Each structure stands twice: as structure tokens, then as C-alpha cells.
Amino acid sequence: MKWLGLVVCCVAPVVWSDSALVDFDLGLVYPAVLGGMECEQVEKYEARELGYTLYYKRGEDFGLELSVFDLGRPSIETGHAVDGIAELMQIVEHDHERQQKVGAISNIRKRGATVVPKDGAVQFANTVYGFLQPREVDGGSKNVPRIESVYVTAAHHRFFKVRFTFDVANGKDARLMAEQFVEQLAAAIKGGRTEEELLLAACDVLVRDPASYAGRSAAQRISEKVLTMGNLNIYPHLFAWPDGFDKPAAADLLVMAYMSGMLKVVIPRQLASGGEAEGFAAMLAAYESLRKRDQIEALPKLDAWLKAPDKKALFQELLYQPVEE
């Protein structure tokens, strides 16, 4: 990589797609928005057999948990009716029993089971449960009828479990959302992404949620890639934060976000260098993501730069400003 003070560069358009997590081991990319619900958190469990879970929400009315794990099994067949699927449903029902005991839900009952979609390379065993959940309404407590729709399947020697919850009153919207996310998940689980596609998706993940497990794992892959690319141009005066003991803990993630913006330009075009303006814009977008989650202290210069309506024009302007020693 080249650390520079000034250069006139070409600016190319970059399309930032929405990805929540890239699993490089399985070659899978999970969308940031699933059935109209946005991914708010990705949790990686310390116990390897428990895998990870992505949490999606749309307001307070709809929630979805997507868990991917192997339960310690060395090999898992592919399909919605293979060995282990029944065990997954027992785990769900044991969780229902636990929730009833502590008063979180009541009157749980199974409403039906089917397979969705009716055909295709990836199908899910789908079981629907109804229950009552206490909720504060107008200063009092009310039992609200709710639905949990559970989808399970197996692929890539992993189990995939989805728990989709919503109010019975929102059933019409929920059916449309379910149709959409089943289609999205089937496509995601099918996989087939190239290494280049996985890396480009990781660039999106890093900018979207830098300090999360998803963002940090993406940053690691991006770091490995840029170490093999000696012609990328770096402008250290754009990394406008304290160094040494005062350096923000998340500063390295901002640097990797800058790299991700460049990779989004150079990789698809097979360039040796370029994308500096896009890197600058990606760094600011990552900083904004961190600030929204209160994961980095305020950095005055970056706060000022965020207010610029045209980040790429600002980048060009900053290149011609004297560099502070």
C-alpha cells in the first residue's frame, strides 16, 4: 500500500448492497433486510456447536431469529426431514415450556405444520404455534394473542432455524413477509457465491455495523486481502483521530472501512489501485454507524465531514488542503 499526501484520482460510482453477515466457512451471505425486517444484531456464541444468530425486527410488531449451528455433530445431511430436525423442534418446545413457567407466555399450542416452499432446492419444515403474551396496554396488562412460526432445515452440514413472531392481528402482513423471507433464505442457503462476491459483501457488512461480530470478521478478511495489494493509495491525514494512548479503540475498523471502499472499486474492475474517494466515503459511513451505536467517541473532523452533502467532492477538496504536521 502507498501512503500519500496528494494525488488526483478518478471517482467511480459504488453500489453498496445490504448484507448483514458473510460466513466465509460456508460461503454464505445473509441479507441485512429479511422479509422487510432489518438485522439489528449478530451474535456469535463461544460454544462452537451453537454457531451464531442473526436478529431481525420491524418495529415492535415483527421479530425474527435466524440461527445457524451444528449441535456438535460432525456431519449433517441436507434437507428439511433429516436426522436432527426433530431434535430442533424439541428444543423449541422445551423453550416454550420454560417461558410458560416464568410467565413470559401462556396457553401455548401447536396450530399446524407444513413444508415450504412446496418445491425447490431448499425447503423448510414449518411448524406454527399460538400463545398469549402479557403486554402493558393503556397502563394495564393485557394478554395479546401471538404467533410463532418456526422454520427448520439443514444444509452445508449445519442446521438452520428461524423463529418468526408476530401478533395474530398482523397475520395478513406476516404471511406476505414470510413468503418473502423464505424465498430470500432459500437463495442465501443455496450459496454458490464466488470468493470475490463474498469479499465484496464483507465490505458492505463492515461499513454497516463495524464493531459487531459480523463487522469484525469482515474486517479480518478485508485486512488479509489488502496485504496482498501493494498499490492501494492511503492518505493518513484523512485518518483524523488521536494516535497513541488516545487512539479510539475502533479506529482500526475505520481504516478497514476505508480499504473496503477502495476494494469495492478495484476488485470488480481488476484494478491495481483506485477508489480512494469511495474509501473516504465508506470510512465516514462506518464512523456514522459506530456513532449511532455509541461505539466510538466523537471525532470533530469526522463529524464536520459527515455534514458535507457530497463526500466525494469533499475528498477532492481535502486532498488540496495543507496537511497538518
Side-chain angles (χ1 to χ4, degrees), residues 64-270:
L64 182 148
E65 299 177 9
L66 166 60
S67 299
V68 183
F69 50 88
D70 62 17
L71 292 180
R73 296 184 176 219
S75 179
I76 300 172
E77 294 181 66
T78 297
H80 66 276
V82 299
D83 183 45
I85 293 294
E87 182 181 350
L88 297 190
M89 296 312 304
Q90 289 176 356
I91 293 173
V92 170
E93 293 179 359
H94 288 162
D95 182 54
H96 289 159
E97 293 174 4
R98 178 192 62 79
Q99 291 187 67
Q100 284 201 107
K101 287 180 180 179
V102 299
I105 62 174
S106 62
N107 202 29
I108 183 78
R109 65 194 187 282
K110 186 183 293 186
R111 297 182 52 157
T114 187
V115 175
V116 293
K118 295 303 180 184
D119 52 39
V122 178
Q123 294 178 292
F124 299 85
N126 175 214
T127 305
V128 179
Y129 300 88
F131 58 93
L132 298 176
Q133 186 173 51
R135 183 180 301 167
E136 293 296 323
V137 179
D138 297 329
S141 181
K142 177 183 178 181
N143 282 326
V144 178
R146 287 178 61 76
I147 296 292
E148 179 173 70
S149 189
V150 181
Y151 304 76
V152 291
T153 194
H156 310 288
H157 299 288
R158 299 290 191 280
F159 293 115
F160 295 79
K161 180 181 68 178
V162 174
R163 301 179 70 165
F164 177 42
T165 54
F166 54 91
D167 291 354
V168 170
N170 294 321
K172 183 177 180 180
D173 286 345
R175 283 191 292 274
L176 297 176
M177 294 165 68
E179 289 176 3
Q180 184 180 9
F181 73 64
V182 165
E183 182 178 350
Q184 288 178 277
L185 280 177
I189 294 171
K190 185 177 180 181
R193 301 287 190 110
T194 66
E195 284 296 318
E196 178 181 298
E197 289 171 334
L198 294 174
L199 186 59
L200 292 175
C203 293
D204 300 335
V205 171
L206 172 58
V207 172
R208 182 180 181 275
D209 192 359
S212 68
Y213 161 72
R216 291 183 182 277
S217 62
Q220 178 62 37
R221 289 303 182 113
I222 291 167
S223 176
E224 293 170 2
K225 179 63 177 180
V226 299
L227 288 175
T228 69
M229 304 176 71
N231 292 317
L232 295 177
N233 298 319
I234 310 298
Y235 304 96
H237 66 288
L238 298 180
F239 302 152
W241 48 78
D243 207 350
F245 290 111
D246 295 327
K247 180 180 178 181
D252 290 341
L253 293 172
L254 295 178
V255 175
M256 285 300 104
Y258 177 92
M259 303 297 182
S260 73
M262 289 194 293
L263 293 184
K264 289 279 288 187
V265 174
V266 302
I267 289 179
R269 300 185 178 198
Q270 299 183 336

Side-chain angles (χ1 to χ4, degrees), residues 16 202-212 215-216 219 222 239 241 250-261 278-297 299 302-303 306 311:
W16 296 91
C203 293
D204 300 335
V205 171
L206 172 58
V207 172
R208 182 180 181 275
D209 192 359
S212 68
R216 291 183 182 277
I222 291 167
F239 302 152
W241 48 78
D252 290 341
L253 293 172
L254 295 178
V255 175
M256 285 300 104
Y258 177 92
M259 303 297 182
S260 73
E278 289 79 7
F280 175 68
M283 180 185 73
L284 292 180
Y287 172 68
E288 187 173 24
S289 297
L290 290 167
R291 289 293 294 153
K292 286 180 179 177
R293 295 174 172 84
D294 198 26
Q295 293 170 333
I296 192 172
E297 57 267 38
L299 300 172
L302 271 64
D303 285 330
L306 273 176
K311 303 299 188 297

